[in-house]
Amino acid sequence: MEITYNVINIREFGASPNGDSDCSGIFKKAEESLTNGGIIFFPRGEYLFENPIRVNRSNLTLIGEGRQSRIIYTYEQTEEDNATTASLFSFEDYICDINVKDLYLEYKGEYFDEAQKSYFGKVSAFYFGICFDVAFKNVEITRFNSNAIAFMGSPSDYSKRLKVDKCYLHHNRVAGVLYGYVDGISITNNNLEYHGSKYDGGTGYGCAGSSGGIPLNVQIIGNKASFNYRKGIDLHAGKKAVIEGNICEGNVLCAIYAEGRYANDIIVTGNMITNMSLIDTPYPPIYKGIEGIGFGIYGGVKDDTEERNFVISENELLNFSFENGSAVPFNCYYGLHRGSVQIKNNILNLGKVATIVGFNGKGPHTEACKNNISITGNQIKCRECTYSPFLVSSFDTYDFSHNRVEIEKGRYPFIASPGDDNGALICTYNNLSCSELHTYEDNTDRSSSEVEKIFRDSGKIDYPRIIEKNILNGKVI
C-alpha cells in the first residue's frame, strides 16, 4: 500500500515571505487542515511569528529550504508565562512522528543575558513534554532566551526515540538541546556553541541532561560543542550513555560532565578537549575551578547496591590550565561503592592543574565496597601540579600501571590515598618524572624513600600492595 502525504505550502494559506505580517494564525490553520498529518513547507523567505503555537497534531513535518527559509519569533514573555505558553512551538503530550528539517529560527525578543537571570527566560524554539519519534535535521536555531530544543518527558512516561542531527544551535541562553526523562536520544554531528551569557556563567550548555531527569540510552557523538559559557556536554544523571568523538573547545567550566545520583554505564571515549585555559575566573565568585571530564555519582545513593561503571578512554586534553584557580582534567564525584572506573589510554598536555585524576570525596571502605579502579596506559605532560597528581580513595582494587607522566613542577607522592582503605593496590611499569619535586608541608625535599615518593596514604590499615618495576626520575625502583 502506497502512503501519500498531504503537503501544504505556507504561502498558499496567506503567509507573507517578507517578514511584514504575523504568520502565527496562518500556521495554526495550516496545521489544523492536516487532520491526518502531513508536511508544512516554508519556501525561501522570512516568516514572522508574533505569538506562540501549541501543536496538537502528530505525523507532522516542518520543512524549508535551509537557511533561506527563516522563521523570526518576536513574542515577549509575561510574568504568567511558562515554557509551554511562551515557546514558539510547544507540543501537546503524546505527540509522535514529528520531523523538522532545513529551517532557520531566530528569536528577537528579550534575551536576559545579565547576571542572576540564568533561567529567567521561558522561550524555547521547540518544547516537548512527552513525545515519541521526533527528529531534527539541518536546522539552525539562535538567540532563544531558554533552549533551542527541549525534550522533557516525565518520570512515569519517558519520551522515546529522539534525534538531533547535523543542526547548528548557537547563542541560546540555556542550551542547544535540553533533555530530561527520555529513553533513546541521539545527538549527533551538530555544532553546539556559544550558549549562555558572558555576563553570567549560570547557564550555557551545548547539550544538557536536566538535573531533574534520568535520561536512558543516550548517544552524544561527533558534535562540536565549543565556547559555551558553562559546559560543552552535560549528561548529569544519565544511564547507558556513550559520549564519543566530540570536539569540545573553549568551554568555560567543564568540557564533558557525566555525573548524577543515578549515573551508570557511561562511556566517554575518543573526544578532543582543548583550549580550556584560564588565568582568572570570568565570573567571580561563581567559578573557582574547571574540569575537563567530570563523572561519577555525586552525593551517592543511600544503601545503594547497584554496580556503577564508567569508562574514560582515548580522549585528548590539550591546553588545559587554570592559573589562579583549581583545574582537574579528570574529576570523579565519588559515591562509588560498587562497580568500576577505567581511565585508560588518554593523552593529556596540561598547564597548571590541582591534580590530574581526582576522586572528589571519600566514603568509608566496608565489606560492601566492591569497586575496581584502573588508571592505565595514559600519556601525560604537565607544567605544574599543585597537589598529588593522582588522588584516589576508598577502593577495593586499584591498578595504576603503564602510565607515562612528566611533570615540570609538582609534589609527591604521585599517588595519594587519603582514606580508610583496605583494598589492594597494584602500581607497576610506570615511567614517572618530575623536574622539581616537593612535599606538601614545606615545599622542600625530604629524605623519603623512592617508594614513598610514588605512593603514600593516611589510612591506618596495612592492605596488600605491589609497587615495583616503576621508573621515577630515570631510576628503576
Side-chain angles (χ1 to χ4, degrees):
M1 178 179 174
E2 184 178 354
I3 300 175
T4 59
Y5 295 94
N6 293 321
V7 180
I8 288 176
N9 185 325
I10 193 73
R11 292 191 195 176
E12 294 175 358
F13 273 69
S16 169
N18 302 315
D20 54 4
S21 61
D22 181 24
C23 297
S24 307
I26 292 170
F27 178 90
K28 195 62 185 173
K29 289 180 181 178
E31 179 213 339
E32 290 173 350
S33 72
L34 297 171
T35 55
N36 295 314
I39 298 169
I40 299 178
F41 174 55
F42 291 81
R44 295 187 177 199
E46 185 170 293
Y47 302 91
L48 176 65
F49 281 68
E50 295 180 345
N51 295 290
I53 303 294
R54 185 68 170 166
V55 179
N56 56 13
R57 291 285 188 278
S58 291
N59 307 307
L60 183 66
T61 295
L62 309 183
I63 191 169
E65 296 184 85
R67 207 171 190 274
Q68 303 305 313
S69 297
R70 305 170 69 88
I71 295 175
I72 306 300
Y73 189 43
T74 61
Y75 177 78
E76 295 287 359
Q77 68 185 54
T78 67
E79 290 185 2
E80 292 75 28
D81 271 324
N82 55 39
T84 299
T85 61
S87 294
L88 171 52
F89 295 106
S90 66
F91 292 77
E92 297 279 359
D93 282 343
Y94 302 104
I95 290 289
C96 63
D97 294 304
I98 302 295
N99 290 275
V100 184
K101 301 178 182 178
D102 303 318
L103 285 169
Y104 173 95
L105 299 95
E106 181 177 351
Y107 181 57
K108 292 193 173 180
E110 190 170 358
Y111 190 74
F112 306 113
D113 63 348
E114 58 265 49
Q116 309 304 319
K117 287 197 172 182
S118 299
Y119 292 97
F120 197 82
K122 306 298 180 185
V123 182
S124 295
F126 294 88
Y127 186 87
F128 296 85
I130 302 165
C131 60
F132 311 100
D133 300 294
V134 178
F136 287 79
K137 190 167 186 176
N138 295 326
V139 177
E140 182 175 350
I141 303 174
T142 186
R143 288 208 78 258
F144 281 77
N145 68 27
S146 190
N147 305 286
I149 304 166
F151 300 109
M152 302 315 296
S154 78
S156 58
D157 287 299
Y158 272 53
S159 292
K160 296 181 179 180
R161 299 178 297 277
L162 314 171
K163 296 181 180 180
V164 181
D165 183 51
K166 296 183 175 66
C167 294
Y168 182 26
L169 311 178
H170 60 101
H171 293 91
N172 299 288
R173 183 60 169 96
V174 177
V177 183
L178 181 72
Y179 53 97
Y181 293 98
V182 303
D183 184 354
I185 183 169
S186 174
I187 301 171
T188 57
N189 308 308
N190 303 286
N191 194 346
L192 312 167
E193 63 180 12
Y194 291 105
H195 298 290
S197 166
K198 66 180 180 180
Y199 305 110
D200 169 35
T203 62
Y205 308 91
C207 60
S210 169
S211 60
I214 308 173
L216 309 175
N217 299 304
V218 178
Q219 291 185 325
I220 305 174
I221 299 174
N223 303 281
K224 187 176 187 293
S226 298
F227 306 110
N228 297 287
Y229 288 103
R230 192 167 174 84
K231 301 173 185 175
I233 295 170
D234 183 13
L235 179 63
H236 265 300
K239 293 186 176 184
K240 294 181 172 61
V242 176
I243 302 173
E244 180 177 3
N246 302 283
I247 297 173
C248 299
E249 180 180 1
N251 298 290
V252 179
L253 177 64
C254 187
I256 297 173
Y257 193 69
E259 67 80 19
R261 292 185 64 200
Y262 302 99
N264 194 6
D265 290 334
I266 309 294
I267 298 173
V268 182
T269 186
N271 302 282
M272 169 72 77
I273 297 170
T274 185
N275 292 335
M276 287 185 69
S277 182
L278 298 178
I279 296 175
D280 293 296
T281 175
Y283 311 115
I286 298 176
Y287 297 163
K288 296 181 180 179
I290 62 173
E291 299 175 10
I293 299 175
F295 62 98
I297 312 160
Y298 185 64
V301 181
K302 186 177 181 181
D303 301 324
D304 183 28
T305 58
E306 184 178 3
E307 289 194 359
R308 308 299 183 92
N309 302 299
F310 301 86
V311 177
I312 314 297
S313 69
E314 299 179 22
N315 303 283
E316 290 190 51
L317 274 72
L318 309 176
N319 193 22
F320 180 88
S321 182
F322 198 170
E323 297 302 316
N324 295 313
S326 173
V328 182
F330 294 151
N331 194 23
C332 180
Y333 290 80
Y334 199 59
L336 186 69
H337 288 136
R338 289 178 176 267
S340 65
V341 172
Q342 298 179 57
I343 300 174
K344 59 184 181 180
N345 303 330
N346 300 281
I347 299 173
L348 285 68
N349 196 333
L350 313 171
K352 183 179 179 181
V353 300
T355 189
I356 296 170
V357 177
F359 280 64
N360 188 357
K362 70 180 185 70
H365 187 105
T366 67
E367 288 299 320
C369 181
K370 300 296 183 183
N371 53 331
N372 302 305
I373 298 168
S374 64
I375 301 175
T376 58
N378 301 283
Q379 299 182 47
I380 301 165
K381 289 186 177 181
C382 179
R383 171 169 52 83
E384 182 177 0
C385 185
T386 60
Y387 205 61
S388 282
F390 301 93
L391 181 63
V392 179
S393 64
S394 299
F395 53 82
D396 191 56
T397 62
Y398 176 21
D399 182 8
F400 183 86
S401 299
H402 298 278
N403 301 286
R404 183 180 183 89
V405 185
E406 300 178 28
I407 301 174
E408 292 182 22
K409 182 179 180 181
R411 301 187 178 197
Y412 79 77
F414 271 83
I415 304 170
S417 176
D420 301 323
D421 299 303
N422 58 1
L425 169 75
I426 301 171
C427 180
T428 57
Y429 297 101
N430 300 287
N431 191 337
L432 312 173
S433 65
C434 186
S435 302
E436 187 178 342
L437 188 64
H438 301 291
T439 65
Y440 296 125
E441 292 83 358
D442 55 12
N443 275 351
T444 59
D445 264 329
R446 291 190 171 186
S447 57
S448 300
S449 70
E450 297 301 308
V451 170
E452 285 177 324
K453 288 183 179 181
I454 290 180
F455 175 78
R456 182 176 65 184
D457 75 300
S458 60
K460 297 180 180 180
I461 301 173
D462 186 18
Y463 52 88
R465 63 190 69 174
I466 299 173
I467 304 175
E468 62 182 19
K469 296 182 174 61
N470 298 285
I471 298 174
L472 177 61
N473 290 333
K475 181 180 178 181
V476 179
I477 61 171

